[in-house]
Amino acid sequence: EEEEEEEENLTAVYDIGLGENSRSCQSWAGSRWVTIPMGLYVELAAGSAYAFGVYSSQLKHSLGINQTQLNTISSVGNIGGYFAVPAGICFDYYGPKITAFIGGCIVVFGYIMAFLGASGTTNLVSEHSHSSISVIAVAFFIAWHGGSWLDAASVSVNIVNFPHERGVVLGILKSFFGLSGSIFAQVYLSFYVSGDAKKTNGLGATLVSIFGVANCAGRICAGSLSDRFKAVISRPMFYAAALLTFTMGSIAFSFAPENGSSSCPVKSSNGGDDGVPILLFFAITCGSLVAIGTSFLNLIPQNRRTPISKPQRKFIKGGYLLVG
């Protein structure tokens, strides 16, 4: 038994790509172990919609709109983000690379369109007009719809490559989707807020980061627990527990005090003529992340989609911590 266990561990090490004579070493870039960290970077771009609350007040001031109109823009963008059926169809027919590439192009186009619209540098947008709201809403619809393509490509390819560990793999990937808002919040606070305003904006950015980290931890725990106890507790029960937790959190927020005239905890002191420059940052960053990650989203052959062993599970955890 000890010899069999030692042989299994050795095989696991070679499968990871650490063996000198293994096939995985020769085609390391095409192994399933690379799709996970690359999928994390793609998820960061896909989850950029979660950062809307960070710059929403600056967008409202730049466009000269009220809170109701801002909520309309956000709602239209959410509709685009949840309309993911075309992305799933594209993945089934053309695979993860094509799907992620198309999604990256859509995201970049949407954010550039939103940036130009908020800056007033396009003829389609006139200040304080209903057309400006429509154009910006369509821009966010496009940008966040592209995020659904990135999410579909990243999640689907890894779920297929790891059919026996779907819970933990899905939890790891979606954790970075939720963590994206926290990362962009810190970028916004560091580079897009004046020095005098950072003290007042620090609490808001901290809250956004805490929410993102909690989202990240919850997704990982849910994925790991669903795999560990799938023989005892059905997945619908996990869904019910998650829904109950979400409901309790929503009730708690309903008793939270109001935050002035804006629902955004992070307020910017520089808006108006300069538009919302972080939208251009989103376009460049998301495009770069997708360009890096798309090349490594590979579907492996059916015979190599085997259950992972303990050394491989440690490899996943170590790699996740490294990327994190």
Side-chain angles (χ1 to χ4, degrees), residues 7-226:
E7 183 179 0
E8 179 184 354
N9 293 339
L10 182 61
T11 303
V13 172
Y14 276 102
D15 184 41
I16 290 175
L18 302 179
E20 294 180 356
N21 299 322
S22 64
R23 293 183 178 179
S24 298
C25 183
Q26 297 174 359
S27 58
W28 180 82
S31 70
R32 63 176 177 172
W33 301 101
V34 182
T35 62
I36 294 182
M38 292 300 105
L40 294 179
Y41 288 117
V42 174
E43 287 295 320
L44 282 180
S48 60
Y50 280 176
F52 181 78
V54 175
Y55 56 87
S56 59
S57 63
Q58 186 180 8
L59 179 65
K60 182 171 73 171
H61 180 72
S62 177
L63 295 175
I65 59 179
N66 56 39
Q67 187 64 38
T68 301
Q69 294 169 322
L70 181 68
N71 293 339
T72 301
I73 294 174
S74 176
S75 299
V76 173
N78 285 328
I79 294 174
Y82 290 121
F83 185 60
V85 176
I89 297 175
C90 181
F91 178 87
D92 288 338
Y93 279 93
Y94 301 106
K97 292 184 178 181
I98 298 293
T99 304
F101 176 77
I102 295 176
C105 293
I106 295 175
V107 169
V108 171
F109 176 77
Y111 277 128
I112 290 179
M113 183 178 175
F115 168 73
L116 295 177
S119 302
T121 56
T122 173
N123 295 329
L124 295 177
V125 177
S126 57
E127 188 178 3
H128 306 298
S129 68
H130 293 288
S131 61
S132 64
I133 302 174
S134 302
V135 171
I136 299 298
V138 171
F140 278 103
F141 178 95
I142 295 173
W144 294 357
H145 175 65
S148 69
W149 286 69
L150 300 178
D151 186 48
S154 174
V155 170
S156 299
V157 66
N158 283 285
I159 290 299
V160 172
N161 288 343
F162 295 89
H164 304 282
E165 293 79 24
R166 291 177 296 177
V168 64
V169 170
L170 181 61
I172 288 176
L173 290 170
K174 298 299 289 185
S175 68
F176 263 55
F177 185 88
L179 197 62
S180 177
S182 301
I183 296 175
F184 284 123
Q186 295 303 323
V187 172
Y188 178 81
L189 182 63
S190 300
F191 299 103
Y192 293 94
V193 177
S194 62
D196 296 335
K198 285 185 179 181
K199 295 181 180 179
T200 58
N201 291 335
L203 176 60
T206 301
L207 291 175
V208 172
S209 299
I210 291 175
F211 296 153
V213 172
N215 192 325
C216 172
R219 293 172 188 267
I220 296 176
C221 292
S224 300
L225 292 175
S226 64

Side-chain angles (χ1 to χ4, degrees), residues 45 104 107-108 282-292:
V107 169
V108 171
F282 281 167
I284 298 174
T285 303
C286 292
S288 301
L289 291 172
V290 174
I292 295 173

Side-chain angles (χ1 to χ4, degrees), residues 185-314:
Q186 295 303 323
V187 172
Y188 178 81
L189 182 63
S190 300
F191 299 103
Y192 293 94
V193 177
S194 62
D196 296 335
K198 285 185 179 181
K199 295 181 180 179
T200 58
N201 291 335
L203 176 60
T206 301
L207 291 175
V208 172
S209 299
I210 291 175
F211 296 153
V213 172
N215 192 325
C216 172
R219 293 172 188 267
I220 296 176
C221 292
S224 300
L225 292 175
S226 64
D227 275 348
R228 182 179 294 271
F229 299 104
K230 60 184 177 182
V232 181
I233 305 176
S234 63
R235 294 190 188 273
M237 291 299 295
F238 280 102
Y239 299 152
L243 181 61
L244 178 61
T245 305
F246 175 78
T247 303
M248 295 174 60
S250 300
I251 294 175
F253 270 113
S254 67
F255 293 98
E258 294 184 0
N259 188 35
S261 60
S262 173
S263 63
C264 175
V266 182
K267 295 182 175 62
S268 174
S269 62
N270 51 356
D273 296 338
D274 295 335
V276 189
I278 195 174
L279 293 175
L280 182 60
F281 171 80
F282 281 167
I284 298 174
T285 303
C286 292
S288 301
L289 291 172
V290 174
I292 295 173
T294 300
S295 302
F296 299 95
L297 297 182
N298 302 294
L299 285 171
I300 66 171
Q302 180 72 33
N303 59 353
R304 295 176 59 190
R305 300 171 190 171
T306 56
I308 64 176
S309 61
K310 291 182 179 180
Q312 293 172 328
R313 190 176 293 273
K314 292 180 180 179

